[in-house]
Amino acid sequence: MTSFFENLLSTFPAFMEAAWMTLRLTGVSLVLALVIGLIFALMKVTGVRWLGVIYNGYVGIIRGTPLIVQIMWLYFGITHIVVLSAFWAGTIALAIHSGAYIAEIFRGCIQSVDKGQMEAAESLGMKRALAMRRVILPQALKRAIPPLGNQFIIGLKDSSLVAFIGITEIFSLSMDNAAVTFKQLEFYTIAGLYYLAMVAIVTFVLSRVENRMDTAK
Amino acid sequence: MIKVEQLHKYFGDLHVLKGVDLEVAPQEVVVMIGASGSGKSTLLRCLNFLEMKNEGRILIDGKEVDPATTPLNKVREHVGMVFQHFNLFPHMTVLENVIEAPVHVKKIPRAEAIERGRELLEKVGLGDKGDVYPEKLSGGQKQRVAIARALAMEPSVMLFDEPTSALDPELVGEVLEVMKSLAADGMTMVVVTHEMGFAREVADRVVFLDNGQIAEQGDPETFFSNPQHPKAQQFLSRVL
């Protein structure tokens, strides 16, 4: 037990740096994923057929293949065309991956808004795009917050998979330490504790946002 | 004001409107009645193109509206609609509901729209409710806000799709009162309703639909006291 706390303390600075990398990977990839998800969801709900086909293809492929395959594919595959740093390869892979799930969240929330809302907006002379922006999206985005929070937490934990393309974040740092010290159990426990702490922070922030939305309408 | 010629509408194999001819004059109040499934709501919804006709012609203000070539949003600016389920925007306050289209469609300056919006809310008896959200209102109040919201676009005709059907009985009166005062102000109105008292008192003309066709129409006094069509007689014996 003493050795556990010693290890925890001695590696603390390195892990803080790794945690910062995990947060950057997660944060940047989720912002990109929100943009991707919203664009694809809007493509799907226009009802234009070929846009729907693109949507189905994207969501189908991403949900149908493991994230680790997507990361490897992007990192090793795309380098034939453009040279991406490991950070950007990882971030883009995570963004494309989360983007598919977030697109599904947005699509579901947009379609869950009562049909009468669009009819009322159109009956007032609003064009569909204006009605979407002013009437449908504000209601849909509010409904999207709880499932998005869930997706953010998944995204944070999924960022551990970029360890396999050589980014020093929490999980890869644990692997390195475990390999050098042969204290596998301790270092993977330490990794778990860091993730737990970060998820707790994210959960807290999300619950604040949800409360705020409830009172602010 | 509105003219409909030989209108046909299908939902899949279901032939809902079977060649309807209808004309609504300026300042006229036309009440459409009929059993459920007779096509009266569908006809009303065709008038502002929430449902698309399959055959026939629809003329608004003397001009034929062809959905393929006419921007429908421009047509709808002149045709107000009130729905059975109100369809207020829940994320906006009552006043924001009312000024939304004037500000974002007609591009009226916000201050001016607010002033006009408050007047309209006053007119429907909700001058003190501008800053609350729709969820705090009763059904009758919501429907009055919906009427104010439609009026804010200064439409030349107002369509009402069973405006009191979703209301508790004790709240029906306040909505009908607002509609009566609108009619008295000379608004052109087409109303689908089950409120026979309203039809009798306010309508200039009653249109009875049966099975996708206009079976009978006439002034309310004659229609209610002496219906000619057997289906109309049957219908009235059940609702009156």
Side-chain angles (χ1 to χ4, degrees):
Chain A
M1 211 54 192
T2 17
S3 118
F4 178 80
F5 285 111
E6 275 167 18
N7 285 330
L8 184 65
L9 278 178
S10 67
T11 56
F12 182 75
F15 266 104
M16 284 316 280
E17 213 164 296
W20 174 232
M21 174 57 83
T22 292
L23 282 179
R24 264 160 52 211
L25 278 165
T26 310
V28 176
S29 66
L30 286 178
V31 168
L32 291 176
L34 283 169
V35 175
I36 294 171
L38 186 59
I39 291 171
F40 272 89
L42 289 173
M43 280 166 53
K44 177 74 175 176
V45 299
T46 54
V48 178
R49 206 191 166 108
W50 63 273
L51 290 177
V53 170
I54 294 176
Y55 177 94
N56 291 345
Y58 167 59
V59 172
I61 289 169
I62 296 303
R63 291 206 303 190
T65 55
L67 173 57
I68 187 70
V69 173
Q70 293 160 16
I71 291 171
M72 293 301 179
W73 186 84
L74 200 75
Y75 185 55
F76 293 111
I78 213 143
T79 41
H80 292 298
I81 310 160
V82 279
V83 179
L84 284 179
S85 68
F87 176 83
W88 281 106
T91 301
I92 292 170
L94 291 171
I96 291 174
H97 181 79
S98 298
Y101 290 91
I102 289 175
E104 276 289 273
I105 290 171
F106 281 148
R107 179 190 63 80
C109 290
I110 289 170
Q111 289 176 342
S112 78
V113 175
D114 181 54
K115 201 159 84 9
Q117 292 289 306
M118 181 54 93
E119 288 188 351
E122 289 198 292
S123 80
L124 289 166
M126 296 169 87
K127 290 183 185 168
R128 287 190 82 86
L130 179 66
M132 182 57 74
R133 184 164 62 81
R134 296 281 316 165
V135 175
I136 308 297
L137 278 183
Q139 298 180 59
L141 295 185
K142 192 182 160 195
R143 288 177 203 187
I145 289 172
L148 278 180
N150 204 32
Q151 194 59 43
F152 289 175
I153 289 168
I154 293 171
L156 173 66
K157 295 190 295 181
D158 276 355
S159 70
S160 59
L161 286 171
V162 302
F164 297 105
I165 55 172
I167 297 177
T168 306
E169 43 69 73
I170 288 183
F171 186 67
S172 63
L173 188 63
S174 312
M175 282 199 297
D176 294 347
N177 277 293
V180 173
T181 61
F182 295 106
K183 289 177 175 163
Q184 286 88 353
L185 194 58
E186 285 185 21
F187 276 102
Y188 290 123
T189 304
I190 288 172
L193 288 175
Y194 280 102
Y195 281 111
L196 204 54
M198 284 192 286
V199 169
I201 293 168
V202 172
T203 306
F204 174 74
V205 172
L206 285 168
S207 73
R208 291 292 291 268
V209 172
E210 264 182 64
N211 284 337
R212 185 105 166 247
M213 293 299 282
D214 265 356
T215 47
K217 292 277 345 163
Chain B
M1 175 72 37
I2 293 182
K3 195 171 178 191
V4 175
E5 291 173 359
Q6 281 304 306
L7 194 72
H8 287 266
K9 172 71 188 172
Y10 300 83
F11 288 125
D13 289 336
L14 194 65
H15 198 174
V16 188
L17 296 176
K18 302 172 181 170
V20 174
D21 293 297
L22 181 73
E23 199 163 343
V24 181
Q27 306 210 328
E28 192 180 18
V29 177
V30 172
V31 172
M32 299 202 287
I33 59 175
S36 70
S38 60
K40 53 194 192 304
S41 278
T42 305
L43 175 56
L44 192 77
R45 289 165 59 84
C46 282
L47 296 182
N48 74 345
F49 305 91
L50 288 178
E51 301 290 352
M52 292 301 169
K53 66 182 168 73
N54 294 104
E55 289 162 42
R57 284 162 29 105
I58 297 173
L59 292 83
I60 310 272
D61 286 332
K63 278 177 296 217
E64 178 169 4
V65 179
D66 177 2
T69 54
T70 320
L72 293 179
N73 58 306
K74 289 288 166 207
V75 177
R76 292 186 182 121
E77 283 183 36
H78 306 289
V79 183
M81 176 111 177
V82 174
F83 299 86
Q84 181 178 358
H85 295 288
F86 329 126
N87 298 349
L88 293 179
F89 306 136
H91 57 301
M92 300 179 190
T93 65
V94 164
L95 184 64
E96 285 167 351
N97 264 274
V98 175
I99 67 170
E100 176 66 19
V103 170
H104 290 96
V105 177
K106 273 194 167 174
K107 311 282 183 198
I108 289 173
R110 198 178 167 82
E112 196 180 309
I114 288 175
E115 194 183 328
R116 172 96 181 106
R118 291 207 184 277
E119 282 169 25
L120 282 167
L121 287 174
E122 205 68 56
K123 183 178 164 138
V124 298
L126 294 169
D128 56 337
K129 298 288 186 192
D131 299 324
V132 307
Y133 283 91
E135 65 171 3
K136 299 274 185 236
L137 301 180
S138 71
Q141 291 172 325
K142 283 181 192 167
Q143 196 60 297
R144 285 186 280 152
V145 173
I147 292 172
R149 180 177 67 175
L151 289 175
M153 288 299 283
E154 301 180 317
S156 46
V157 52
M158 287 277 285
L159 310 177
F160 294 83
D161 188 6
E162 304 200 23
T164 58
S165 297
L167 298 178
D168 291 339
E170 77 270 20
L171 302 176
V172 169
E174 61 191 66
V175 173
L176 293 182
E177 278 310 314
V178 170
M179 291 168 64
K180 278 179 203 170
S181 78
L182 263 184
D185 290 347
M187 175 61 77
T188 311
M189 295 162 62
V190 183
V191 185
V192 170
T193 186
H194 296 289
E195 294 295 325
M196 296 305 145
F198 176 84
R200 189 167 223 159
E201 190 182 339
V202 185
D204 296 311
R205 181 153 50 105
V206 176
V207 172
F208 174 75
L209 273 99
D210 178 60
N211 197 21
Q213 285 174 316
I214 294 179
E216 183 169 348
Q217 56 180 318
D219 71 276
E221 206 44 55
T222 322
F223 176 79
F224 283 109
S225 55
N226 188 19
Q228 301 299 313
H229 196 280
K231 283 289 183 61
Q233 292 166 355
Q234 205 180 30
F235 177 78
L236 287 178
S237 73
R238 266 185 282 130
V239 297
L240 289 180

